Amino acid sequence: MFEPIYNSKKAGLDAEELPGILTVMVLFVILVLVFYVINFFDQLQKQKQVEISFKELNANFNLNYFLLFQLEGDTTIADLISQAYLNNNYEQLKTLFNKFFGEIYDKQGLSYDLIIDGINMNSVNFVGKVTESSIQVPIINKRAITVKLLIGGSG
């Protein structure tokens, strides 16, 4: 009365069903690959964002450290910047700037520039992404000037 299923012709696949099943399988594999590629590029973008954030944090730290660097007595680089701005004489500051940041960024093959209220210390032509850090340095009469550190590749 009942035959085992393995003997039944209904348990097998018809030849007409094979192309449809193969098409579904191929579409499934393509869909999985598309999701994999999308995830890969998303992870790559996140990694670049973390790298950029790290460079910006590093630039902020280096600029703040440079500004608070003690010279003679209680004089800091920030004080020297104020004096250089008021006297319009940046030579000593330019020398200190290139020595300090040269030790950090020359080894990495990066160029750097310090801009004090629109006046460039090195006048570098950057190529590609430039990391920027800026801070306000107070001078007399409650006035402040903007000091920017730019770091990037040069051309």
Side-chain angles (χ1 to χ4, degrees):
M1 176 152 190
F2 291 106
E3 292 183 27
I5 196 161
Y6 54 85
N7 286 338
S8 173
K9 290 183 179 181
K10 294 181 180 180
L13 292 175
D14 288 335
E16 298 90 30
E17 294 176 2
L18 220 53
I21 291 173
L22 289 176
T23 303
V24 169
M25 289 174 59
V26 168
L27 289 175
F28 179 74
V29 168
I30 290 173
L31 185 67
V32 168
L33 287 175
V34 166
F35 282 122
Y36 179 76
V37 168
I38 289 172
N39 184 44
F40 174 77
F41 284 115
D42 184 49
Q43 293 298 325
L44 192 63
Q45 182 66 24
K46 287 179 182 177
Q47 183 179 0
K48 286 181 181 178
Q49 289 174 346
V50 167
E51 184 178 312
I52 290 169
S53 296
F54 178 73
K55 286 180 180 178
E56 289 173 357
L57 285 171
N58 196 17
N60 287 334
F61 174 80
N62 289 336
L63 179 59
N64 283 314
Y65 186 79
F66 177 69
L67 293 175
L68 296 175
F69 190 78
Q70 295 258 327
L71 298 171
E72 298 170 1
D74 291 338
T75 305
T76 63
I77 298 283
D79 297 330
L80 184 63
I81 288 174
S82 297
Q83 292 170 2
Y85 178 78
L86 293 172
N87 297 330
N88 198 25
N89 183 358
Y90 298 95
E91 291 307 313
Q92 182 184 7
L93 180 62
K94 187 175 181 177
T95 303
L96 290 170
F97 166 72
N98 284 319
K99 183 178 179 184
F100 182 86
F101 286 102
E103 291 180 12
I104 299 170
Y105 295 115
D106 283 346
K107 297 174 190 173
Q108 300 174 27
L110 296 172
S111 297
Y112 45 90
D113 198 1
L114 190 70
I115 301 174
I116 300 171
D117 214 38
I119 300 169
N120 293 46
M121 295 293 108
N122 285 342
S123 300
V124 176
N125 292 325
F126 291 101
V127 175
K129 174 74 174 129
V130 176
T131 303
E132 180 179 316
S133 176
S134 64
I135 194 167
Q136 296 286 317
V137 175
I139 56 173
I140 59 172
N141 298 333
K142 297 184 181 179
R143 188 162 178 265
I145 55 175
T146 302
V147 176
K148 290 183 184 179
L149 172 65
L150 303 175
I151 302 162
S154 65

